Amino acid sequence: MSREIASYVTLNKDLLKLYKSNNFRDIIADAILTDAILIPQKIEIAQNTNCRRERLRTTSYISIMLRNISSYCNGLEHDGVKEKEYLNLLRGEVITFRRSFKKWRKSLLSDDQL
């Protein structure tokens, strides 16, 4: 979903080159894509490490990325993206994911006490 929204909000259709742009929407689209790509990578790291400190750090980083994606949606909305329904869909997915993530994080961190 993040890839489709990024493609929609930017005129630059080469999503791999968004980071080179100075356009606000390109910068936000690139940030959404980057965070959406990093979240599953960080989940894998948290799941596979035995170090509690690494789990805490990684899960905190995931929380920050989820909050950022919501903020990016707000920024795009304030910048005048007309189809707010798309942004609301992404926000809804972030909220749903965040609920599941919190349960998973709690179970992951409680595993450390065993």
Side-chain angles (χ1 to χ4, degrees), residues 71-98:
S71 295
Y72 301 145
C73 290
N74 292 339
L76 288 170
E77 189 172 346
H78 291 296
D79 192 50
V81 170
K82 292 183 179 164
E83 282 76 11
K84 295 177 186 176
E85 302 86 36
Y86 298 136
L87 298 177
N88 289 334
L89 283 172
L90 183 56
R91 284 185 188 116
E93 290 298 316
V94 168
I95 289 168
T96 300
F97 180 81
R98 187 179 285 137

Side-chain angles (χ1 to χ4, degrees), residues 1 7-8 22 24 27 51-52 65 68 73 81 93 108:
M1 184 180 296
S7 178
Y8 174 75
N22 289 328
F24 178 73
I27 293 167
C51 177
R52 180 173 174 78
M65 287 186 285
N68 286 347
C73 290
V81 170
E93 290 298 316
L108 183 70

Side-chain angles (χ1 to χ4, degrees), residues 94-106:
V94 168
I95 289 168
T96 300
F97 180 81
R98 187 179 285 137
R99 285 183 196 130
S100 298
F101 171 71
K102 285 181 179 181
K103 290 177 188 175
W104 173 77
R105 180 181 60 196
K106 187 176 180 180

Side-chain angles (χ1 to χ4, degrees), residues 3 6 10 12-21 26 29-30 33-34 37:
R3 189 173 23 250
T10 181
N12 182 354
K13 298 307 175 195
D14 187 356
L15 298 180
L16 296 176
K17 304 232 179 186
L18 289 174
Y19 70 95
K20 293 182 179 181
S21 176
D26 290 352
D30 183 56
L33 286 172
T34 300
I37 290 167

Side-chain angles (χ1 to χ4, degrees), residues 34-70:
T34 300
D35 284 356
I37 290 167
L38 287 175
I39 288 171
Q41 294 173 4
K42 294 299 180 180
I43 288 171
E44 183 179 5
I45 290 169
Q47 182 67 43
N48 293 328
T49 187
N50 292 326
C51 177
R52 180 173 174 78
R53 179 174 285 152
E54 180 70 16
R55 283 183 179 176
L56 286 170
R57 190 168 53 98
T58 305
T59 55
S60 293
Y61 190 65
I62 294 167
S63 293
I64 291 167
M65 287 186 285
L66 291 170
R67 190 171 47 243
N68 286 347
I69 291 173
S70 295

